[in-house]
Amino acid sequence: EIAMTQSPATLSVSPGERAVLSCRASQSVSTNLVWFQHKPGQAPRLLIYGASTRATGIPARFSGSGSGTDFTLTISSLQSEDFAVYYCQHYVNWPLEEITFGGGTKVEI
Amino acid sequence: EVQLVESGGGLVQPGGSLRLSCAASGFSFSSYWMSWVRQAPGKGLEWVANIKQDGSDRNYADSVKGRFIISRDNAKNSLHLQMNNLRDEDTAVYYCARGGFRMDVWGQGTTVTVSS
């Protein structure tokens, strides 16, 4: 089973600053990589799929990059509503029985 | 409005059973894979199971295989998770999500607590 490791566990930033979050796979996952945002008491929100494609309605300040084993989520200028936990998640195309989330990065003020 | 609403959570003793439901609205339910994902207290997200549009393909995480059963009723736009032989470590908020791997719509979750 492929393990997903996110770093750092916690990222302290100020509004307006850039945040760079890392996700590493234990073996290549090509671009089968998704990013979610999760706030306490709310439903998770899909941000990025295919490693770099923004989901519908996601602001341009969110961008994803990477392939193989190393991936990055960049938030170019943090807004107050961006403080949350961010998860990466990989999947195997077929069968759809290996879906693994990383441990998450908490972005805090 | 596209919406998923979970129900059925509660307190159950170890070894007990519980059936979760997810009511879908605002989209063509029968056209999508559907998934269950959970979050234990203080922990991250964990994929639980998914099911193909017509129910012909179902996949489970190793942690629930043999104990949980995912099913759907396309006529009623509903997704279900039958949870048997529950363990303490199954305590979590359970989310229903649209999609088999790229989960683009999520419910608010229903809380399951396994405790004696």
Side-chain angles (χ1 to χ4, degrees):
Chain A
E1 183 176 311
I2 297 175
M4 308 301 292
T5 303
Q6 290 187 243
S7 61
T10 303
L11 185 62
S12 297
V13 293
S14 299
E17 290 186 339
R18 188 174 79 145
V20 179
L21 289 65
S22 175
C23 175
R24 176 164 289 178
S26 59
Q27 59 185 275
S28 177
V29 298
S30 184
T31 56
N32 295 342
L33 195 285
V34 176
W35 289 95
F36 292 97
Q37 176 192 69
H38 193 199
K39 298 179 182 179
Q42 295 188 21
R45 179 191 184 194
L46 175 67
L47 297 176
I48 302 285
Y49 63 91
S52 61
T53 303
R54 273 190 303 277
T56 303
I58 301 304
R61 64 180 182 273
F62 291 93
S63 63
S65 64
S67 66
T69 60
D70 291 302
F71 301 88
T72 299
L73 175 69
T74 301
I75 311 171
S76 60
S77 178
L78 271 158
Q79 307 297 303
S80 57
E81 61 267 29
D82 299 336
F83 292 95
V85 180
Y86 292 83
Y87 294 94
C88 64
Q89 172 232 305
H90 105 88
Y91 57 90
V92 172
N93 272 330
W94 195 263
L96 274 178
E97 61 181 8
E98 185 171 338
I99 297 172
T100 308
F101 288 88
T105 291
K106 182 179 182 180
V107 176
E108 63 176 24
I109 299 175
Chain B
E1 179 191 5
V2 175
Q3 196 172 14
L4 296 170
V5 179
E6 301 94 336
S7 61
L11 174 64
V12 60
Q13 292 188 339
S17 298
L18 211 55
R19 187 182 192 234
L20 305 183
S21 295
C22 171
S25 60
F27 66 98
S28 178
F29 179 74
S30 60
S31 298
Y32 289 86
W33 279 76
M34 296 294 295
S35 300
W36 288 98
V37 176
R38 67 185 181 184
Q39 183 177 34
K43 303 293 185 181
L45 299 173
E46 178 189 18
W47 171 72
V48 173
N50 59 30
I51 185 168
K52 194 177 178 180
Q53 289 91 331
D54 61 0
S56 61
D57 190 6
R58 311 175 196 210
N59 301 294
Y60 300 91
D62 287 344
S63 58
V64 307
K65 202 171 290 185
R67 300 187 299 123
F68 290 12
I69 300 172
I70 188 172
S71 63
R72 64 192 297 161
D73 185 339
N74 287 342
K76 296 183 178 179
N77 292 338
S78 61
L79 177 72
H80 304 284
L81 186 68
Q82 177 66 44
M83 304 187 295
N84 300 321
N85 191 18
L86 282 160
R87 305 168 179 168
D88 291 350
E89 56 264 34
D90 296 318
T91 294
V93 175
Y94 284 74
Y95 296 98
C96 160
R98 185 176 78 172
F101 60 92
R102 188 177 83 199
M103 291 164 269
D104 64 347
V105 178
W106 296 63
Q108 293 293 320
T110 186
T111 300
V112 172
T113 303
V114 183
S115 175
S116 55

